[in-house]
């Protein structure tokens, strides 16, 4: 398990974060965060320390909610059935809850399965959106034989579809969670923004300009493709 690098007194003073896991230090750090006394470095150090301290509890909560969604969530059960029809199998053994060091909700790998970043999950609804997103990737991998490593157009198309179909870009999620308050074209703008960010993070993508270009090239056909749904479900 990764640990937080110890800070020198000067580092602690400049960032606003004080290393230590005793009750007083944890309360002092929380108060500094609340009062805006931490800079960006300090807030990141606070987040990492919190994630390390709560790793076991976060993963346990994630696993409990994952099992519930696999059994009772309509969208998760629907995606699971359609993946099964293509020869795949999504279950609690290949949907893994882990602590992630990067600020992302989850990921899909054809060999590994789905990873959920337990330390980033706000609630069961967030987990449901994340699982649905990654299950769209799994469905696309099986149905369309995607070249994940070398074809950015493939990556852009599945990111567009996953953001559009998973529910993560519905109006309420954008409005209450991400402070995106536009009324018209909100869904499309969210999908385009999130797909571009995902493509920009891939090793084969030079920068966000190339990512936006690739997303634009495949936008019309991929946004209109709602398979396996008849229409955008959520």
């Amino acid at each position: 398990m990764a640990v937080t690098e110890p800070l020198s007194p000067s580092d602690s003073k400049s960032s606003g974060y004080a290393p230590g896991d005793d009750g007083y230090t944890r309360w002092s750090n929380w108060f500094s965060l609340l009062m805006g006394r931490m800079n960006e470095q300090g807030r990141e150090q606070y987040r990492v320390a919190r994630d390390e301290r709560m790793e076991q509890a976060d993963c346990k909560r994630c696993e409990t909610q994952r099992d519930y969604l696999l059994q009772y969530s309509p969208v998760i059960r629907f995606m699971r059935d359609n993946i099964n029809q293509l020869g795949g199998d999504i279950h609690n053994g290949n949907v893994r809850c882990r602590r992630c060091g990067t600020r992302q909700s989850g990921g899909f790998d054809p060999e590994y399965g789905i990873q959920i970043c337990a330390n980033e999950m706000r609630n069961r609804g967030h987990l449901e959106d994340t699982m649905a997103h990654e299950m769209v990737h799994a469905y696309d991998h099986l149905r369309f034989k995607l070249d994940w490593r070398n074809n950015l157009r493939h990556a852009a198309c599945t990111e567009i579809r996953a953001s559009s179909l998973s529910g993560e870009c519905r109006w309420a999620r954008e409005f209450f969670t991400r402070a995106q308050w536009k009324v018209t074209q909100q869904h499309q703008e969210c999908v385009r923004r999130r797909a571009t960010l995902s493509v920009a993070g891939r090793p084969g993508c030079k920068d966000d300009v190339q990512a936006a270009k690739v997303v634009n090239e495949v936008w019309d056909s991929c946004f209109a493709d709602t398979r396996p749904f008849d229409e955008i479900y959520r």
Side-chain angles (χ1 to χ4, degrees), residues 29-65:
N29 281 326
W30 177 84
F31 187 75
S32 294
L33 179 70
L34 186 67
M35 298 301 293
R37 296 174 182 170
M38 288 186 189
N39 61 18
E40 185 176 353
Q41 179 190 13
R43 291 193 295 271
E44 181 63 15
Q45 290 163 341
Y46 179 89
R47 184 189 72 84
V48 170
R50 179 269 171 208
D51 288 349
E52 291 176 352
R53 184 173 66 251
M54 299 297 295
E55 180 175 6
Q56 184 174 359
D58 285 344
C59 288
K60 178 62 176 176
R61 173 173 54 87
C62 174
E63 289 167 355
T64 299
Q65 294 178 347

Side-chain angles (χ1 to χ4, degrees), residues 97-234:
C97 295
R98 299 289 187 268
R99 176 173 65 85
C100 299
T102 54
R103 301 304 300 270
Q104 63 185 79
S105 296
F108 168 75
D109 182 271
E111 301 299 324
Y112 180 83
I114 292 172
Q115 176 164 305
I116 302 296
C117 295
N119 52 314
E120 297 293 336
M121 293 297 102
R122 296 183 297 272
N123 49 47
R124 194 169 68 196
H126 186 198
L127 177 59
E128 183 177 41
D129 289 350
T130 302
M131 287 177 61
H133 180 112
E134 304 306 335
M135 291 172 82
V136 171
H137 288 330
Y139 175 89
D140 287 355
H141 173 73
L142 292 168
R143 186 176 181 90
F144 305 117
K145 313 302 181 186
L146 302 184
D147 182 355
W148 294 92
R149 186 179 299 274
N150 302 309
N151 195 318
L152 285 179
R153 291 170 66 91
H154 285 188
C157 191
T158 191
E159 292 296 350
I160 290 168
R161 283 172 36 75
S163 290
S164 181
L165 300 174
S166 64
E168 66 188 23
C169 278
R170 62 184 176 275
W171 184 85
R173 182 72 71 205
E174 281 281 272
F175 186 91
F176 292 109
T177 304
R178 306 187 188 111
Q180 299 291 329
W181 298 328
K182 294 189 68 174
V183 176
T184 60
Q185 298 292 306
Q186 169 273 326
H187 180 80
Q188 290 90 329
E189 290 193 12
C190 171
V191 172
R192 192 184 296 273
R193 181 183 74 247
R194 294 177 68 82
T196 300
L197 286 171
S198 294
V199 174
R202 292 189 173 272
C205 185
K206 293 183 295 185
D207 51 32
D208 56 351
V209 175
Q210 184 186 17
K213 180 176 182 292
V214 175
V215 168
N216 287 335
E217 288 173 352
V218 301
W219 175 264
D220 289 342
S221 60
C222 296
F223 184 76
D225 186 355
T226 62
R227 288 175 289 181
F229 301 96
D230 294 329
E231 58 185 1
I232 295 175
Y233 173 67
R234 308 175 74 202

Side-chain angles (χ1 to χ4, degrees), residues 11-27:
D11 288 336
S12 173
K13 185 176 180 180
S14 62
S15 71
Y17 172 80
D21 199 36
D22 60 279
Y24 174 78
T25 302
R26 286 164 58 179
W27 178 88

Side-chain angles (χ1 to χ4, degrees), residues 76-102:
I76 298 303
R77 292 182 60 180
F78 177 79
M79 287 302 305
R80 186 180 186 182
D81 289 344
N82 277 272
I83 289 170
N84 287 345
Q85 291 173 23
L86 296 174
D89 186 18
I90 297 293
H91 50 82
N92 59 11
N94 57 18
V95 180
R96 300 174 173 88
C97 295
R98 299 289 187 268
R99 176 173 65 85
C100 299
T102 54

